[in-house]
Amino acid sequence: KVMKDISGLKDMEKKLEDVLGVSKAVVVSGDSDQYALVKNELGLACVREIERCLGAKNIIAVTGGSTLAAAAEMMHPLKKAHQDLLFVSARGGLGVKVENQANTICAKMAEKAEGRYHLLHVPDQLSDESYHSLIEEPSIHRVLQLVHGATIVVHGIGSAKTMAIRRHSGEEFLKRVDTEHAVAEAFGYFFDRTGRVIHKVQTIGLQWEDLFGARAVIAVAGGKSKAEAIEAYFKKGPDSVLITDEGAAQEILKNF
Ligand code: F6P
């Protein structure tokens, strides 16, 4: 039975790679919408993938969310004598629960991995004016340079509606999510079903364009409810490794 399950998951991984156009897909068994423990499996698979991507010098940028929080929970010592491990927050605070903020996750991952960390002490949604003065701030400027030079980016993907509500977006934006058919959200960017960016939260940190380039990108998202978001995000998404679960994978593959 176990052998059959494993080959079933392998099969889904291959199909997902084709359908989504990602260089690698990892599918863990179960549906994290139904069983909270599946999120830890996603977290563990994420830690393994980070380990696989390590080189001599590593700058690992991480975003927030409960899935990445699970990855921090599952982190273990990664540091070998010849490795330099620096974790940085890819984005500022999001006004969400502290355990799900990028800064909290970044610090926890670094501690458990036995690496160093730098945090981004800025609010997530900024006015034009604060944005321009903050990026000139030397301490912030230094962290931003590290974020832009990240060798590995690890981020979550959420559904647009859920994320708009979680960030306490106003009525007007919630309406836009509906009228412009936003279905996915990742690092403050909202995407429609075709993968087009329909909105971005003005903030300091990792930008969409930063993901296209010579670096490893690991996206971690699972649960049947995120299937549509995952599919949309990868329509125009950067080359990535996707870590997901059976719940999301089955729902995505149902149409193929
Ligand atoms: O808020 C940070 C973030 O990474 C979002 O960009 C993403 O949509 C969300 O978290 C995913 O959250 P969760 O893992 O809790 O579903």
Side-chain angles (χ1 to χ4, degrees):
K1 168 114 195 335
V2 171
M3 288 297 287
K4 186 156 171 266
D5 284 350
I6 290 171
S7 72
L9 294 178
K10 290 275 161 241
D11 200 41
M12 272 191 214
E13 290 173 349
K14 285 276 150 301
K15 286 189 184 136
L16 274 184
E17 288 162 9
D18 285 351
V19 164
L20 301 176
V22 293
S23 57
K24 178 176 172 184
V26 176
V27 179
V28 303
S29 70
D31 182 339
S32 51
D33 284 346
Q34 284 180 36
Y35 303 101
L37 278 177
V38 177
K39 238 178 216 175
N40 291 353
E41 292 302 315
L42 287 170
L44 187 61
C46 172
V47 170
R48 291 206 180 107
E49 196 53 41
I50 294 174
E51 233 172 340
R52 244 175 242 127
C53 296
L54 292 179
K57 268 202 164 307
N58 305 284
I59 303 174
I60 304 157
V62 299
T63 68
S66 61
T67 316
L68 272 272
E73 203 56 59
M74 303 308 281
M75 186 52 86
H76 51 73
L78 300 177
K79 190 159 170 137
K80 305 212 180 74
H82 56 281
Q83 272 173 356
D84 194 21
L85 275 189
L86 175 65
F87 289 79
V88 291
S89 324
R91 307 278 294 194
L94 285 177
V96 294
K97 287 205 278 192
V98 72
E99 62 269 32
N100 290 342
Q101 288 178 10
N103 279 336
T104 313
I105 292 167
C106 175
K108 189 167 185 178
M109 272 200 187
E111 269 160 16
K112 290 195 160 188
E114 297 177 355
R116 298 172 296 131
Y117 63 85
H118 278 302
L119 307 180
L120 259 183
H121 295 293
V122 289
D124 199 60
Q125 311 225 10
L126 294 170
S127 65
D128 274 352
E129 206 185 339
S130 345
Y131 177 85
H132 290 293
S133 62
L134 274 172
I135 51 175
E136 302 300 335
E137 203 46 59
S139 65
I140 292 173
H141 189 78
R142 265 198 306 278
V143 183
L144 284 179
Q145 276 181 319
L146 293 169
V147 171
H148 292 130
T151 56
I152 304 174
V153 174
V154 189
H155 72 88
I157 303 171
S159 75
K161 206 36 156 310
T162 311
M163 289 313 296
I165 293 169
R166 204 192 279 178
R167 284 183 191 155
H168 310 295
S169 310
E171 264 314 298
E172 200 183 318
F173 183 65
L174 285 175
K175 253 194 222 126
R176 262 191 77 199
V177 166
D178 280 339
T179 54
E180 300 194 35
H181 310 287
V183 293
E185 191 280 348
F187 39 86
Y189 284 64
F190 286 80
F191 306 86
D192 70 11
R193 213 180 289 267
T194 69
R196 193 173 62 93
V197 175
I198 66 123
H199 177 77
K200 71 180 250 202
V201 178
Q202 162 114 300
T203 189
I204 282 177
L206 187 79
Q207 306 296 318
W208 171 239
E209 304 76 33
D210 297 333
L211 290 178
F212 297 82
R215 69 186 82 226
V217 181
I218 305 171
V220 202
K224 186 177 175 185
S225 63
K226 282 193 188 177
E228 192 184 28
I230 295 168
E231 203 179 332
Y233 174 78
F234 283 110
K235 283 272 156 66
K236 296 190 168 68
D239 188 28
S240 314
V241 173
L242 168 67
I243 316 272
T244 191
D245 63 17
E246 230 181 321
Q250 251 163 12
E251 185 69 13
I252 294 169
L253 295 174
K254 165 173 108 176
N255 307 320
F256 294 91

